[in-house]
Amino acid sequence: MKDGFVRCASATVDIKVADTDYNTSNIIKAIEDAAQNDIKLIVFPELCITGYTCGDLFLQKILIDSAKDSLIKIAKATENLDITAVVGLPYVAEQTLYNCAAVVNGGRIKGLVPKLNIPNYAEFYEARHFTAGKNEVTYVNINGEEVPFGANILFKTDACEDFVLAVEICEDLWTAMPPSVNHALAGATIIANLSASNEVIAKDEYREMLVKSQSAKLYCGYIYSDAGYGESTTDLVFAGDNMIAENGTILARSKRFNNECVYIELDLERLVGERKKSNTYNIVGSEKYVCVKLDMNIGDTKITRYVDKQPFVPSDDKKREKRSEEILSIQSLGLKKRLDHTHAKTAVVGVSGGLDSTLALLVTVRAFDSLNIDRKNIIAVTMPCFGTTDRTYNNAVNFANSLGVTLKEVNIKAAVNQHFADIEHDPNVYDVTYENSQARERTQILMDVANKSGGLVIGTGDMSELALGWATYNGDHMSMYGVNAGVPKTLIRYLVDYEAKRTNNDILKKTLQDILDTPVSPELLPPKDGKISQKTEHIVGPYELHDFFLYHLMRFGSKPSKILRLAEVAFEGIYDREVILEWLKVFYRRFFAQQFKRSCLPDGPKVGSVALSPRGDWRMPSDASYQIWAKELETL
C-alpha cells in the first residue's frame, strides 16, 4: 500500500440459485485468484452465497444453515492469504432474518453488516423475507467467536492508516440518505456495496450516475459489485454491472451481461488529501462506530490504473473542444468586466509570435466583440530586438492584421543598447541582465502606450511560467490584467489550436498553425542562422513534465516520491526515471525559490481546479524552505 495505493476488485462469479456448495467453491477460487494478483480487497454481490433470487427458499432453515457453513469455509480460505473479502448471505440473528454482508480476513469473520433499507416495490419484495438492519452494533456468535453485527462498523488496518472500509448494500445507495454518508463522515475512505440490481432499459446509466456521484460527494473509493448470470431469470435478468469509482471517476467497469472480476488501485492518499482541502467536509468521528482491525501487509502496489500525462488537458476530442470554449469564455468574461469597470478605451497586448501572447490577443478580441467595441481599439505591439527571428516577427504581424486590430511596431534595440550604456553593461555578455533588460523595456513600452491611449495592459504570462518563475520580475511578470494566469502551458496549445480550427480566415488559420509549430522561446538571445537559438524547454525542462508535477503537487499535495512514481507510469517510453527525476528537482527548486513573483501577481481569472493566485488558491510564504522536499528528492 505504498503511497496510499490499494488494489481492489469487484467480482461476479457464476452461481446456481440455492446451491451454496457450488457458489462457495467459485467464491473461494475468485478470492485465491485475486490474492495471487496482489488484490487486497475483493467485493462480491448481494446474497452471493445463496443467490439473490431464492424467493421463499430464504425461509428454509437448511438454506440459512448452509449459507452460514459456507461463510465459515470462505473465511477459513483467507487464513493464509493477504486479502479481505466481502460476501453476501442471509443470516439469522435473534430469530430474525437479515440480508447481510460479511467481511472476512485472516481466516476469521470480522464483521456482519445488515442491509438497512429493504425495498418492497415494483419487482422487489425483500420485506417478505428480510428485516431492516440497524446502525447499532451488537454481537453474534459464529463458530465460537463473537462477531460484531450492525451497520456502524469500520474496518481498519495498521498497514495503511488511510484504509478505512465500510459497507452498504444495494438499495442503501438508492435512498435519500445512504448509510455511506455517515460511514464516510466517520472516516471511511472505501465503501463496498454488495448489490443485486436487475437490468431494465437505461438503468445502467442511472446506476453509474449514483456510483459516480456518491464517490464524488464523499471523496471516497466506491466498489459496486452486482449480481449477474446464474440468478433466476423467472422475471428478471441481472447483468453483473461491476464498478470501481474514485472521487467521481469510474476507474474500472465490467462488461455487462458477462460475469467478470474488475480490479484497479484506489489512491487513498489522494482521497484523504481532497478531504483535508475541503473545510465543509466535516469528519464527525467514529464514536458511534465499532472499529475492527484487519490483518493486512504493507506492499509496493504496482500501479496499473491509467495516469494521465496531461492532467490539464481532456483526452477526448469533444470534451477538449467543450473545455476550450469554456476556458476562453471565462478568460474573456473576466477581461470584459475589467475593461467595463475601468472604462478603458483600449487594450494593449505585446505580441511576439509565441503561444502565450497569441492566446492573450485572441481572448482580448473576444472581450471587445462582446462589448461591441471596435477591434481597432486593441493595440497589438510588436517589439523586435536582438533575439527576434523573421518567423516570429512575421507571424506576429500577420496575426494582428488578420484579426483587424491596430498593430504598432517599436524596435527596442536602440533603447536597450542605450540602457546597457547607462548601466555600463557589456552588450556582448549574454547574461540575465542582457535578457531581462529587454523584457523590462518591453513592459515599459506597453505600460506607457496604455497610459497614452487610456487603456489596460493585458498580461500574457501563463500558469506554468508562474510556477517555475520563468518571468522577468517587473517585466513580463507585470500587467494590468493577466488573462493567462490560470492556464498551464500544455493547455494553451490546445486553446490556440481550437481557435485555429474555428476560424474561416485562411490567413489567420495558417498563421496560428505556424505559431503552434514554433518552438517555445523568450527570444532574448541572438538567433543562429536566422533560427531561434534559445529554447525554453532545453533550459527549464519539458513543460509537459512540469505541468504534471504542478498538478499533483497542487491538486493532491503529493510527495516528490509519489509524483516521481506516477510520472514514471504516465511517461513510460517517453522519459526514463533519471530524466524525470532531474527535472523534478529543477521544478521543486524553482517552485520554492520563485514564490516572491507569485506573491505580487496582477489580477487574473481562475479557470481550473489548480491556480496560483496569492489571493485565492495558493498562499505560501515567499521565503519558505524546501529542505524537507529536497531531502526526499536526494533519496530517490
Side-chain angles (χ1 to χ4, degrees):
M1 297 184 191
K2 183 180 176 182
D3 297 322
F5 288 107
V6 57
R7 204 170 195 193
C8 303
S10 175
T12 301
V13 298
D14 291 347
I15 69 158
K16 295 180 180 179
V17 177
D19 190 340
T20 55
D21 289 342
Y22 178 84
N23 301 342
T24 298
S25 177
N26 286 342
I27 291 168
I28 290 174
K29 185 178 185 306
I31 292 172
E32 292 172 343
D33 290 344
Q36 288 295 315
N37 282 287
D38 198 33
I39 290 165
K40 301 299 182 184
L41 173 64
I42 184 169
V43 182
F44 293 91
E46 182 179 10
L47 296 169
C48 58
I49 290 177
T50 58
Y52 176 79
T53 50
C54 290
D56 285 352
L57 294 178
F58 282 127
L59 302 177
Q60 296 292 309
K61 188 175 187 302
I62 189 172
L63 181 67
I64 302 304
D65 289 346
S66 182
K68 184 177 178 180
D69 291 341
S70 291
L71 174 60
I72 294 170
K73 290 178 184 178
I74 293 168
K76 183 69 175 177
T78 68
E79 187 170 16
N80 297 312
L81 302 176
D82 185 22
I83 192 170
T84 296
V86 189
V87 296
L89 77 159
Y91 186 84
V92 172
E94 295 183 351
Q95 303 175 27
T96 304
L97 183 62
Y98 296 95
N99 179 343
C100 291
V103 177
V104 298
N105 162 266
R108 300 174 61 195
I109 302 165
K110 294 289 189 172
L112 281 173
V113 178
K115 189 172 184 176
L116 298 185
N117 297 279
I118 305 299
N120 215 55
Y121 57 86
E123 63 265 46
F124 302 108
Y125 52 92
E126 286 186 37
R128 181 180 176 93
H129 311 114
F130 298 106
T131 297
K134 297 179 180 179
N135 289 311
E136 293 76 21
V137 178
T138 57
Y139 288 83
V140 295
N141 188 287
I142 304 178
N143 203 30
E145 284 200 63
E146 292 296 303
V147 176
F149 178 90
N152 285 3
I153 305 176
L154 298 178
F155 301 90
K156 301 182 177 183
T157 175
D158 291 337
C160 176
E161 65 177 350
D162 294 331
F163 182 101
V164 185
L165 170 68
V167 181
E168 64 184 8
I169 302 175
C170 198
E171 184 74 12
D172 289 341
L173 173 62
W174 300 65
T175 61
M177 185 65 176
S180 50
V181 173
N182 288 328
H183 297 339
L185 293 177
T189 53
I190 302 175
I191 303 296
N193 185 310
L194 294 75
S195 181
S197 179
N198 64 298
E199 290 304 308
V200 293
I201 295 172
K203 188 176 182 180
D204 64 309
E205 298 172 6
Y206 186 70
R207 187 188 297 126
E208 177 185 359
M209 181 186 69
L210 285 176
V211 171
K212 290 170 69 174
S213 175
Q214 199 69 353
S215 70
K217 288 194 303 180
L218 302 182
Y219 298 117
C220 73
Y222 201 98
I223 306 172
Y224 185 92
S225 299
D226 190 24
Y229 179 77
E231 292 287 356
S232 172
T233 57
T234 301
D235 291 300
L236 307 174
V237 168
F238 296 84
D241 190 9
N242 297 335
M243 290 174 271
I244 302 178
E246 178 184 286
N247 194 21
T249 300
I250 302 294
L251 300 181
R253 189 173 189 177
S254 63
K255 182 179 179 181
R256 286 190 303 148
F257 305 104
N258 290 270
N259 288 355
E260 292 183 349
C261 175
V262 294
Y263 53 87
I264 203 70
E265 304 80 45
L266 291 175
D267 187 347
L268 303 183
E269 265 189 14
R270 175 175 175 171
L271 293 169
V272 171
E274 291 280 31
R275 290 180 177 185
K276 286 189 295 186
K277 283 172 62 177
S278 175
N279 72 341
T280 57
Y281 189 94
N282 299 313
I283 296 293
V284 297
S286 56
E287 291 82 5
K288 296 181 179 179
Y289 281 72
V290 169
C291 294
V292 175
K293 185 175 290 188
L294 302 175
D295 297 320
M296 302 174 75
N297 295 322
I298 297 175
D300 189 0
T301 306
K302 182 181 179 182
I303 300 175
T304 62
R305 62 190 272 168
Y306 174 69
V307 180
D308 195 344
K309 64 178 180 290
Q310 290 193 321
F312 290 112
V313 182
S315 56
D316 179 79
D317 289 345
K318 289 185 178 180
K319 287 183 180 179
R320 189 164 61 242
E321 287 180 6
K322 180 178 181 294
R323 186 76 56 82
S324 295
E325 180 61 34
E326 187 176 17
I327 291 169
L328 287 162
S329 296
I330 291 172
Q331 291 177 280
S332 59
L333 186 65
L335 178 57
K336 176 183 177 180
K337 170 64 178 177
R338 184 54 53 93
L339 292 167
D340 188 37
H341 176 73
T342 58
H343 304 291
K345 297 177 182 178
T346 66
V348 180
V349 184
V351 289
S352 65
L355 281 172
D356 288 352
S357 64
T358 297
L359 178 60
L361 186 54
L362 287 168
V363 169
T364 304
V365 166
R366 278 185 172 231
F368 268 64
D369 288 350
S370 67
L371 286 166
N372 294 316
I373 301 176
D374 191 337
R375 291 186 183 183
K376 287 297 182 181
N377 287 31
I378 301 173
I379 304 173
V381 187
T382 179
M383 295 165 282
C385 198
F386 312 122
T388 305
T389 61
D390 290 342
R391 180 182 186 181
T392 54
Y393 170 78
N394 290 331
N395 279 340
V397 171
N398 293 336
F399 174 49
N401 286 333
S402 64
L403 287 173
V405 304
T406 298
L407 177 65
K408 183 178 181 64
E409 180 176 332
V410 180
N411 192 303
I412 65 170
K413 288 181 182 178
V416 174
N417 277 321
Q418 178 61 52
H419 181 62
F420 287 161
D422 292 341
I423 65 171
E424 300 179 345
H425 179 76
D426 185 347
N428 295 309
V429 177
Y430 300 155
D431 58 4
V432 67
T433 303
Y434 180 91
E435 294 186 26
N436 287 350
S437 293
Q438 299 171 65
R440 292 193 177 101
E441 178 62 26
R442 286 181 171 128
T443 300
Q444 175 180 255
I445 289 169
L446 293 174
M447 291 288 180
D448 291 343
V449 169
N451 290 160
K452 186 178 180 181
S453 61
L456 298 179
V457 175
I458 310 306
T460 62
D462 63 62
M463 186 168 67
S464 304
E465 293 178 341
L466 294 171
L468 295 169
W470 191 250
T472 299
Y473 194 84
N474 206 35
D476 53 303
H477 160 259
M478 192 49 58
S479 68
M480 296 174 182
Y481 195 75
V483 293
N484 294 341
V487 187
K489 186 77 78 177
T490 49
L491 186 55
I492 285 181
R493 180 172 298 278
Y494 289 96
L495 296 174
V496 173
D497 180 65
Y498 171 74
E499 289 290 69
K501 290 175 178 175
R502 287 180 67 247
T503 184
N504 294 319
N505 184 322
D506 290 338
I507 296 176
L508 178 58
K509 184 185 293 287
K510 182 179 178 180
T511 303
L512 290 176
Q513 288 297 341
D514 196 58
I515 290 172
L516 286 164
D517 292 337
T518 304
V520 177
S521 172
E523 290 196 318
L524 296 172
L525 298 181
K528 293 180 180 178
D529 301 323
K531 296 183 178 180
I532 292 171
S533 64
Q534 186 183 23
K535 296 180 180 179
T536 299
E537 292 183 291
H538 290 178
I539 302 168
V540 296
Y543 274 116
E544 61 180 350
L545 281 178
H546 287 307
D547 281 358
F548 183 90
F549 302 154
L550 177 66
Y551 179 82
H552 288 276
L553 169 77
M554 296 281 295
R555 188 74 176 80
F556 308 115
S558 299
K559 300 187 299 183
S561 57
K562 185 171 184 177
I563 295 176
L564 174 62
R565 190 176 178 209
L566 290 170
E568 285 186 84
V569 176
F571 293 97
E572 185 178 6
I574 302 173
Y575 303 106
D576 59 29
R577 177 185 172 88
E578 288 70 25
V579 170
I580 296 171
L581 180 56
E582 173 192 353
W583 293 121
L584 184 60
K585 290 178 179 179
V586 169
F587 171 81
Y588 272 99
R589 176 176 57 79
R590 293 192 67 98
F591 186 82
F592 274 82
Q594 301 295 311
Q595 173 62 28
F596 73 97
K597 294 179 182 178
R598 299 189 293 269
S599 292
C600 55
L601 280 180
D603 293 351
K606 175 180 178 177
V607 302
S609 59
V610 173
L612 287 168
S613 169
R615 296 167 295 277
D617 289 69
W618 190 247
R619 306 183 189 191
M620 169 183 167
S622 295
D623 49 9
S625 170
Y626 91 117
Q627 182 58 36
I628 59 174
W629 288 267
K631 185 177 180 181
E632 178 171 289
L633 284 164
E634 291 306 316
T635 66
L636 300 178

